Amino acid sequence: MNAPTAERTPVPRFPTVTATAAHHAETRPDRVAVECAGREVTFLELYHRSNRTAHALLAEGLLPGSRVAYLAGDTEHYYDLLLACAAAGTVLVPVDPRLTPGEIEHVLRDSGAELLVTEEDKLPVIGPVIEGLASGAPRTVLVLDDGVAGPGGFLRWKAGRPETAPATSAGARRPLTQMYTSGTTGRPKGVVLGQHTFWAINDLLARHKLDWIDWREDDRLLQVLPGHHIGGPWWFMQGFRAGATHVVAQGFDAGRTLALLANGGITTTLMVPSMLRILLSEPGAGPADFAGLRKVVYGGAPIPEPLLEQCLSVMGCEFAQIYGLTETCASAVCLPPADHVPGNPRLKAVGRPYPGVAVQAVDRSGDPLPPGRVGEIRIDTPAVMTGYWQRPEETELALADGWLNTGDAGHVDEDGYVYLHDRIKDVILVAGENVYPAEVENALSKHPAVAEAAVVATPDEVRGEAVRACVVVRAGERLTARELMLFLRELLAPYKIPTAYTFVDSLPRNAAGKILRRELRDRF
């Protein structure tokens, strides 16, 4: 592996974000907390900045529980605002800046955000959206600025406020963020998460002395996932608690990310599989570019076995897979580094529950299934959401009997390892037989000419539904539908083999890197 394990003095574990920020400001004031586009913010500076922001929020008349929206790219200001909301007791609502005006309107209307922080180039979109909202629209709109701009600038707005934490600092179980689900199906819902949910898994790992995933104060964590996706703030909060430095990539660009990994002193990162595939496909990418890495955490989508084996070979560091949802604050199950051995059949699993987390596969009646039987995966975790914002009926359905119903189809083996088959709503019913897209996609990925593939259902008059494969062919390769059909005969039962193939240049994805099967279904 790239980095040896060294003896380390544990950083004290405080239950709240504000207490943690105060500790770091006192014990490591000059250490860089956030690095972004060449700008560095120390832990002392971040503490002072976020406290000024918190006091400004309170002076604006916001009460504990008030929603604060952030519609901008990832910068140090996002983390300033995240810590400020913890100190003021307000709730941060990150908004994907790439959303359409209608989607932005839905989030602002649904959340009832009273204050909005955005970028100047978003104002032409934001203005009409806010005008179209009824009373209760954000009454204050602030633009990220350099501190010299007009009165509507974020930095000028909070200038001169006290640098000490306000007396209203929220407790560990108060809501901290309201994350909107990715919207791969239906209207996005606001998932309310308390401070404690971000550190619950971290606490379980520490309590049981497990280093499946670990964060060290001398780490430099690459922050690739955006702040509006649960993986973004979750990853930041882990490293922040440890007193580590976060290097904000400001989105995923393969060339820039590879340069940061090669020359930025990065020791660990969190990515989705598509990012890993793109990095390894960069011209000239090789082991030297990843020599500083000690661990890569990945999740968010199934990873094809050939890609995982390539990662293990080229990147030469430890790997850990996580599985979870926004509703479980990113992670409930982990495939530890010890299981990442080429040829290990457990590489097909997403992992096993952390100690203190329980996972079951249940049938349509909610009864637990025996090992190996496929059903809906449900999770009992201390990192579960408070609920869906202003949706009590949907919250009750999701949190039945204290378990979170995930909507994912899978099974649990005799050793407790969890294997995903697919989203239940994505299962394809071919003449009464269930076909799970992930299984077919994994088989397609084994063909040397296939870069990636997505499988969806299309209507079939005879069998109800048929399987369609959307395939991206590797550069310089040629491939036909017949070749793929013959190839899959060795890997899949006949009813699972796609009967239609569409060759595309790329697959549609959301900000988290997940394939948008809904768009593919709509297209066909």
Side-chain angles (χ1 to χ4, degrees):
M1 296 301 173
N2 292 337
T5 301
E7 290 293 326
R8 301 178 303 279
T9 302
V11 174
R13 308 172 72 81
F14 298 94
T16 67
V17 173
T18 303
T20 302
H23 171 78
H24 290 329
E26 180 181 355
T27 59
R28 49 181 59 78
D30 299 325
R31 180 170 176 79
V32 175
V34 179
E35 182 180 311
C36 179
R39 303 181 298 273
E40 295 182 342
V41 182
T42 66
F43 277 100
L44 181 62
E45 290 170 337
L46 184 60
Y47 182 61
H48 287 165
R49 289 186 186 192
S50 60
N51 286 336
R52 286 196 293 267
T53 303
H55 282 286
L57 291 172
L58 296 172
E60 198 69 35
L62 273 64
L63 301 173
S66 295
R67 266 54 183 174
V68 177
Y70 179 89
L71 174 64
D74 283 3
T75 69
E76 64 272 26
H77 304 302
Y78 172 87
Y79 304 102
D80 169 349
L81 196 58
L82 178 65
L83 269 59
C85 284
T90 54
V91 180
L92 181 62
V93 181
V95 187
D96 185 348
R98 300 179 301 177
L99 294 181
T100 65
E103 291 168 323
I104 293 171
E105 180 181 1
H106 167 72
V107 174
L108 294 180
R109 184 191 303 276
D110 186 76
S111 66
E114 299 178 43
L115 183 143
L116 170 66
V117 177
T118 189
E119 296 167 323
E120 188 171 3
D121 63 0
K122 300 294 187 299
L123 291 179
V125 174
I126 293 297
V129 167
I130 292 179
E131 289 178 8
L133 291 171
S135 59
R139 62 174 185 263
T140 303
V141 178
L142 302 169
V143 177
L144 294 176
D145 62 321
D146 58 6
V148 183
F154 175 68
L155 296 181
R156 281 181 60 87
W157 165 77
K158 67 172 187 168
R161 300 292 178 182
E163 295 181 342
T164 54
T168 55
S169 296
R173 292 195 170 270
R174 289 289 298 276
L176 175 61
T177 64
Q178 186 165 310
M179 311 293 298
Y180 277 78
T181 54
S182 57
T184 52
T185 58
R187 287 293 250 183
K189 300 184 289 289
V191 178
V192 181
L193 298 166
Q195 290 190 36
H196 70 286
T197 60
F198 284 90
W199 285 340
I201 297 303
N202 191 313
D203 286 336
L204 291 174
L205 288 167
R207 189 177 307 146
H208 293 272
K209 297 182 173 20
L210 296 174
D211 62 354
W212 295 354
I213 315 175
D214 59 333
W215 301 270
R216 308 173 185 176
E217 60 179 317
D218 58 352
D219 270 331
R220 285 175 59 83
L221 288 80
L222 183 61
Q223 189 80 30
V224 178
L225 294 184
H228 57 263
H229 175 261
I230 185 58
W234 180 79
W235 186 246
F236 170 79
M237 291 286 276
Q238 312 314 310
F240 172 73
R241 194 183 204 187
T245 297
H246 283 262
V247 180
V248 183
Q250 294 190 290
F252 178 77
D253 174 88
R256 185 172 69 244
T257 302
L258 194 63
L260 284 170
L261 290 170
N263 306 310
I266 303 299
T267 58
T268 184
T269 188
L270 170 66
M271 293 189 180
V272 298
S274 60
M275 294 175 179
L276 296 171
R277 177 184 61 79
I278 293 169
L279 282 178
L280 293 179
S281 299
E282 275 290 285
D289 298 305
F290 309 105
L293 279 172
R294 66 176 186 83
K295 185 171 292 184
V296 170
V297 182
Y298 66 94
I303 188 168
E305 292 173 59
L307 172 60
L308 183 54
E309 291 179 2
Q310 184 184 11
C311 289
L312 291 169
S313 173
V314 176
M315 302 179 81
C317 62
E318 288 189 339
F319 277 77
Q321 179 178 188
I322 60 172
Y323 161 68
L325 297 81
T326 303
E327 291 87 339
T328 65
C329 202
S331 185
V333 166
C334 180
L335 189 69
D339 283 318
H340 284 74
V341 179
N344 183 0
R346 284 179 174 163
L347 288 177
K348 296 179 180 178
V350 292
R352 54 186 171 128
Y354 301 98
V357 175
V359 177
Q360 293 179 336
V362 298
D363 61 21
R364 293 182 183 274
S365 300
D367 296 323
L369 292 167
R373 287 280 302 278
V374 176
E376 181 178 5
I377 297 296
R378 67 176 188 173
I379 299 170
D380 181 5
T381 171
V384 74
M385 66 175 178
T386 302
Y388 295 121
W389 174 242
Q390 296 185 333
R391 301 194 186 199
E393 293 181 358
E394 292 185 53
T395 298
E396 187 176 356
L397 285 173
L399 298 176
D401 302 322
W403 293 77
L404 175 74
N405 297 314
T406 67
D408 286 334
H411 75 270
V412 182
D413 70 13
E414 293 179 350
D415 297 317
Y417 283 77
V418 181
Y419 296 76
L420 290 188
H421 292 249
D422 222 301
R423 294 290 296 175
I424 284 179
K425 58 182 64 70
D426 288 333
V427 171
I428 304 169
L429 194 62
V430 179
E433 296 282 356
N434 287 339
V435 177
Y436 298 97
E439 181 183 8
V440 183
E441 290 161 3
N442 190 50
L444 284 164
S445 72
K446 296 180 184 297
H447 193 289
V450 173
E452 58 180 344
V455 168
V456 295
T458 53
D460 185 284
E461 292 183 0
V462 177
R463 296 179 294 174
E465 289 182 329
V467 183
R468 176 183 288 273
C470 302
V471 179
V472 179
V473 180
R474 293 189 185 279
E477 299 284 350
R478 295 177 63 86
L479 193 58
T480 66
R482 177 174 172 77
E483 287 177 291
L484 281 177
M485 292 182 73
L486 292 173
F487 175 77
L488 292 176
R489 284 183 181 178
E490 302 297 321
L491 302 174
L492 297 171
Y495 72 89
K496 297 180 182 180
I497 296 176
T499 56
Y501 297 80
T502 301
F503 296 96
V504 295
D505 294 329
S506 63
L507 298 174
R509 297 180 184 275
N510 65 10
K514 293 183 181 180
I515 295 171
L516 294 172
R517 289 198 180 91
R518 170 174 48 82
E519 287 192 12
L520 295 173
R521 283 195 295 266
D522 291 345
R523 189 182 305 176
F524 301 111

